[in-house]
């Protein structure tokens, strides 16, 4: 049985991203997968890693629970809007606070290399844009995709990462959104 964790990084519960989360979950419910969720907006934590890695900042209970869910999962689905070529601030704070040395990775002493602790997991990124996906890719070089896939998920050991980019959302019609809800539900059904 596949263990799927859906992480929603949008701060607005009435957003299209929450509709996408529900669609993925509804698809996955029609399989043998076990599903857990994290809605970052609902967590009680400070997003500021105030000492960097120099000094430990104790994790709040919601972040400890998030780490347990990340360890548990086989497949992690990230759903978020791309804002200013990156993830929303609260999601960035979540990444900073949760993917810590000793949990997600460990730097080797006297070396530039590190050990990856979340090996064997797969991931799907589903993100929304206010521009066409091709434009974000060709003109801007997809900075948030590179940051999440290579510099975050690959860094901690998640090798297989697929990306679904949906845009433009701004000024989109209901048919466009309905089509994407169906596509994302199918991704959930396929556990991809």
């Amino acid at each position: 049985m596949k263990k799927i964790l859906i992480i929603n990084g949008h701060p607005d519960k009435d957003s299209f991203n929450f509709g996408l989360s529900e669609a993925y979950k509804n698809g996955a419910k029609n399989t043998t997968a076990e599903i857990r969720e994290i809605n970052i907006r609902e967590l009680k934590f400070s997003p500021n890693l105030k000492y960097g890695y120099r000094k430990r900042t104790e994790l709040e209970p919601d972040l400890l629970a998030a780490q347990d869910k990340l360890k548990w999962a086989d497949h992690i689905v990230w759903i978020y809007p791309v804002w200013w070529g990156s993830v929303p601030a609260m999601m960035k704070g979540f990444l900073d606070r949760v993917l810590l040395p000793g949990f997600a990775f460990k730097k080797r002493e006297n070396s530039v290399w590190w050990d990856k602790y979340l090996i064997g997991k797969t991931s799907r990124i589903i993100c929304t844009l206010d521009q066409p996906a091709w434009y974000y890719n060709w003109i801007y070089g997809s900075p948030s995709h590179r940051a999440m896939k290579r510099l975050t998920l690959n860094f901690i050991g998640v090798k297989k990462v697929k990306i679904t980019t949906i845009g433009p959302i701004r000024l989109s019609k209901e048919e466009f959104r309905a089509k994407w809800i169906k596509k994302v539900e199918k991704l959930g059904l396929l556990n991809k």
Side-chain angles (χ1 to χ4, degrees):
M1 179 185 314
K2 198 166 203 177
K3 296 181 278 187
I4 299 173
L5 175 60
I6 302 169
I7 302 176
N8 190 321
H10 202 297
D12 180 1
K13 69 178 175 61
D14 296 324
S15 70
F16 183 56
N17 282 233
F18 271 78
L20 294 169
S21 269
E22 282 301 307
Y24 190 96
K25 182 170 70 174
N26 289 339
K29 279 182 182 176
N30 291 311
T31 70
T32 60
E34 188 177 342
I35 306 158
R36 294 186 186 170
E37 295 178 89
I38 297 173
N39 290 312
I40 295 173
R41 72 176 303 280
E42 296 171 359
L43 304 181
K44 291 179 178 50
F45 73 103
S46 169
N48 187 15
L49 186 63
K50 61 183 169 181
Y51 304 111
Y53 296 142
R54 179 180 58 80
K55 182 177 168 185
R56 183 170 174 79
T57 302
E58 291 304 315
L59 291 175
E60 295 86 345
D62 284 352
L63 296 185
L64 290 169
Q67 284 185 335
D68 287 342
K69 288 178 181 179
L70 284 162
K71 279 191 268 188
W72 165 85
D74 299 319
H75 184 64
I76 305 163
V77 180
W78 299 87
I79 300 174
Y80 59 89
V82 173
W83 289 346
W84 295 106
S86 187
V87 299
M90 186 177 285
M91 182 173 160
K92 177 63 169 81
F94 174 83
L95 294 168
D96 287 349
R97 295 288 315 282
V98 170
L99 301 179
L100 294 172
F103 169 73
F105 68 97
K106 181 182 178 193
K107 296 210 174 177
R108 296 177 188 163
E109 203 168 318
N110 299 318
S111 175
V112 297
W113 303 110
W114 63 98
D115 296 316
K116 303 171 182 188
Y117 287 171
L118 297 180
I119 293 170
K121 299 177 184 300
T122 59
S123 192
R124 163 74 61 178
I125 295 169
I126 300 170
C127 59
T128 56
L129 307 166
D130 279 341
Q131 59 193 269
W134 66 264
Y135 190 86
Y136 183 68
N137 185 28
W138 287 96
I139 302 303
Y140 295 117
S142 305
S144 67
H145 296 356
R146 285 195 324 273
M148 273 300 287
K149 181 177 180 174
R150 294 184 190 164
L151 302 172
T152 303
L153 297 172
N154 291 168
F155 185 91
I156 60 175
V158 182
K159 288 253 188 231
K160 293 182 180 177
V161 179
K162 303 231 186 247
I163 302 173
T164 300
T165 310
I166 305 168
I169 294 301
R170 191 170 87 66
L171 306 177
S172 66
K173 304 233 182 306
E174 187 56 40
E175 310 86 71
F176 177 84
R177 292 176 182 229
K179 177 185 85 168
W180 276 106
I181 291 289
K182 284 184 180 177
K183 285 183 177 184
V184 168
E185 187 170 342
K186 187 174 181 181
L187 289 174
L189 184 63
L190 299 172
N191 294 168
K192 292 186 174 187

